[in-house]
Amino acid sequence: MVAGKDDAATALIHHGYTPPGGFAAVQPPVHKASTVIFANTQALHARQWKDKTGYTYGLHGTPTTFTLEERIATLEGGLQTLLLPSGLAAIALVDMALLRAGDEVLIPDNAYGPNKELARGELARWGIAHRFYDAMAPASLAAALSPATKLVWLEAAGSVTMEFPDLPALIRLVRAHGALIALDNTWGAGIAFNAFEIEPGLGVDISVHALTKYPSGGADVMMGSATTRDEQLHLQLKATHMRMGWGVGGNDAELLLRSLPTLPLRYHAQDAVGRQLAAWWGGRPEITQVLHPALAGSPGHDAWQRLCSASAGLFSVVLDARYSAAQVHAFVDALRLFKIGYSWAGPVSLVVPYQLSAMRAWPAWTGTLVRFSVGLEAVTDLIGDCEQALSVLG
Ligand SMILES: *Cc1c(COP(=O)(O)O)cnc(C)c1O
């Protein structure tokens, strides 16, 4: 199946898994191991830890993690998936597997912050250059591409500022250049659009997903994935994955397998509440802009409308410049249902204030932004919470 379609739920629930004879539970069992036992020395020597084709050692895969890998590949519309201990580790895997000294990687200015920090830190130290581009201006990407460019990151929607880029335009530019394309697909989660088929015959090479967010849905598991459709590229990622020892535990994999069947329901439920809440904020006099790609007037709304069938339950508002950062922080502190904390897609609604001038080169943002992630509470309660907290702004 391909992702971004209404049948995602059915495909995730009715997924190939053969239970042991005579036992047919709904969920697959949890296999946990460091040691995997071999029948004899011949079996020990015949099995290669380097290719994951069989079970050799807990770090390199169990029936539980292999099943989860297959389901994430299904969700994303890819063919192969590797699991990592966090979404950030999945980003690091792609950089480490595909780049060498002298190469350059291009990253959107509005990318997930730690992706940029990795480029500024380890990649720079290893002689790998980076450049940030404005994802909302394809000309900015065109100008940044050079013979040294080997990898281009995409992210849709952008982190915190939520701009939705014209992904096909960006992908065509990189394809003409010949570099590889990796997408941070955490926001779309395999539901909003199909990363490998954004338009017929046009997609990314690698989709990275912070499974910590929607696939978990519980705010209690850290995990990431890197999904591909090309066998050679998968093997390249897998070699680095195995040499780095980035395995995941059976209990964490179990929690993901438990949550996946409800992912489409949760995604659409949080989408609906996010849009209602964002629309409510749009009528408030305290703000100058709501940043939500599904709302007309938000940056990239046209591209979102053309490419997406849904939206994550995330949005930001830019407070009017007449309010100081301290006043905005007092508003955030006054919220009761929205808890202050990073991440999203869990049951509890979350909020984080950001000072935009410190984060972005384009455009020249001013004022304080507040990013909301809706949980699973009733929308009337969430609106009521925002309303009571706004009273501190006077
Ligand atoms: C959370 C997040 C990550 C990192 O995932 P972790 O599992 O928290 O390391 C990467 N990209 C995006 C867009 C995210 O929201």
Side-chain angles (χ1 to χ4, degrees):
M1 66 146 290
V2 289
K5 295 184 5 185
D6 291 340
D7 60 4
T10 309
L12 288 173
I13 295 162
H14 294 272
H15 198 267
Y17 158 69
T18 313
F23 180 76
V26 169
Q27 286 295 102
V30 191
H31 293 279
K32 298 194 288 185
S34 51
T35 299
V36 172
I37 294 168
F38 298 90
N40 50 45
T41 49
Q42 198 225 338
L44 174 77
H45 294 135
R47 231 172 279 170
Q48 264 290 341
W49 72 268
K50 287 184 177 177
D51 62 13
K52 291 217 315 180
T53 49
Y55 305 111
T56 52
Y57 187 56
L59 180 63
H60 303 307
T62 64
T64 308
T65 61
F66 284 175
T67 300
L68 179 56
E69 287 180 344
E70 287 165 18
R71 290 191 186 179
I72 298 299
T74 298
L75 172 68
E76 299 244 18
L79 290 179
Q80 314 89 356
T81 292
L82 294 164
L83 299 176
L84 295 103
S86 71
L88 182 54
I91 292 172
L93 168 71
V94 172
D95 285 341
M96 286 184 63
L98 303 180
L99 298 168
R100 65 180 69 212
D103 290 346
E104 187 164 70
V105 56
L106 305 184
I107 302 171
D109 184 49
N110 61 359
Y112 177 65
N115 183 335
K116 297 164 74 175
E117 284 303 306
L118 181 63
R120 290 190 183 107
E122 275 61 33
L123 298 191
R125 226 158 19 77
W126 300 336
I128 298 162
H130 63 271
R131 241 189 267 197
F132 303 131
Y133 68 94
D134 178 0
M136 299 307 285
S140 163
L141 174 60
L145 285 163
S146 81
T149 310
K150 293 294 166 3
L151 175 67
V152 176
W153 278 98
L154 302 174
E155 195 168 324
S159 191
V160 182
T161 38
M162 310 305 305
E163 308 93 338
F164 205 95
D166 184 346
L167 289 171
L170 299 176
I171 291 170
R172 278 193 197 95
L173 279 173
V174 185
R175 285 277 173 259
H177 184 82
L180 287 166
I181 304 170
L183 169 79
D184 185 329
N185 198 23
T186 305
W187 180 93
I191 301 292
F193 61 92
N194 182 346
F196 295 98
E197 204 82 32
I198 290 164
E199 282 182 355
L202 191 77
V204 304
D205 298 303
I206 305 152
S207 174
V208 160
H209 195 162
L211 307 182
T212 306
K213 309 292 167 53
Y214 275 103
S216 157
D220 54 359
V221 185
M222 306 291 313
M223 206 179 289
S225 64
T227 299
T228 48
R229 261 191 187 183
D230 179 271
E231 182 66 18
Q232 275 317 111
L233 187 55
H234 170 65
L235 292 177
Q236 206 176 337
L237 296 180
K238 189 164 77 168
T240 299
H241 182 267
M242 299 195 72
R243 288 192 292 256
M244 292 303 296
W246 275 321
V248 303
N251 288 113
D252 285 345
E254 177 205 16
L255 288 171
L256 267 289
L257 288 166
R258 181 83 159 72
S259 297
L260 273 182
T262 59
L263 186 156
L265 286 178
R266 291 182 282 105
Y267 195 93
H268 291 302
Q270 293 185 328
D271 180 6
V273 171
R275 289 194 217 191
Q276 284 178 67
L277 201 59
W280 178 84
W281 271 103
R284 295 297 309 192
E286 295 89 352
I287 58 131
T288 54
Q289 181 149 31
V290 181
L291 301 167
H292 187 313
L295 250 65
S298 281
H301 173 65
D302 291 349
W304 175 85
Q305 209 161 27
R306 185 157 50 87
L307 303 170
C308 294
S309 60
S311 196
L314 271 183
F315 69 95
S316 297
V317 298
V318 181
L319 275 292
D320 191 287
R322 70 178 181 272
Y323 301 114
S324 68
Q327 281 177 294
V328 177
H329 295 166
F331 156 73
V332 169
D333 287 340
L335 288 163
R336 293 171 194 153
L337 296 178
F338 284 91
K339 301 300 179 189
I340 300 169
Y342 296 108
S343 197
W344 27 285
V348 172
S349 291
L350 297 173
V351 61
V352 180
Y354 290 92
Q355 227 40 62
L356 272 166
S357 52
M359 296 175 65
R360 295 280 185 272
W362 306 275
W365 294 91
T366 54
T368 306
L369 172 152
V370 177
R371 202 272 304 272
F372 294 96
S373 103
V374 306
L376 294 167
E377 302 93 337
V379 65
T380 46
D381 292 334
L382 294 178
I383 288 174
D385 192 28
C386 292
E387 206 158 26
Q388 65 80 22
L390 277 171
S391 64
V392 306
L393 292 179

